[in-house]
Amino acid sequence: MGNGDEKLDRNEEQSGEKAKRLVEKLGENKAAIVILMLKTPEITVNELGDQLEISRNTVDRNIQKLKKDGVLERIGPAKGGYWKVNLEMLDEKK
């Protein structure tokens, strides 16, 4: 295995650990929402529901909790805006 392969394995391992910590702090649905928003900030509530196979109401409820906790912020309008994830708030959340 070359040096680049080892680096990729380490990055995947670190990403997996970060995802586990997110699930521990937020719960499975909220963590999945945050991860998808980090990957695709312009993702819609309907797309989140479809990808996670949960209802739009469940997505909305989780987003409201994440916004209340300061983890999520909506930048711009519902159409054409994007989600900002405040990772610092996750570090503070116990």
Side-chain angles (χ1 to χ4, degrees):
M1 196 181 268
N3 220 6
D5 292 337
E6 290 172 16
K7 210 176 220 181
L8 283 176
D9 287 344
R10 212 169 323 124
N11 285 341
E12 285 177 15
E13 189 176 309
Q14 289 173 345
S15 292
E17 288 301 314
K18 287 179 185 176
K20 283 182 193 173
R21 284 196 302 270
L22 267 180
V23 171
E24 288 172 7
K25 286 184 177 187
L26 300 175
E28 194 172 324
N29 283 342
K30 285 190 247 113
I33 289 169
V34 167
I35 290 167
L36 286 172
M37 287 179 172
L38 285 167
K39 289 180 182 178
T40 312
E42 62 281 351
I43 196 165
T44 67
V45 171
N46 286 334
E47 290 170 336
L48 286 165
D50 290 345
Q51 288 188 36
L52 299 174
E53 298 181 349
I54 58 178
S55 73
R56 181 190 163 98
N57 286 341
T58 300
V59 174
D60 279 331
R61 193 170 42 252
N62 282 291
I63 287 173
Q64 292 309 313
K65 289 177 187 173
L66 289 164
K67 286 168 76 174
K68 181 180 170 222
D69 291 343
V71 175
L72 283 184
E73 183 180 346
R74 182 71 183 177
I75 307 296
K79 289 186 179 183
Y82 64 94
W83 295 102
K84 178 181 175 189
V85 178
N86 299 310
L87 294 173
E88 315 81 52
M89 296 305 289
L90 291 172
D91 291 334
E92 295 173 14
K93 190 169 172 54
K94 301 287 182 210

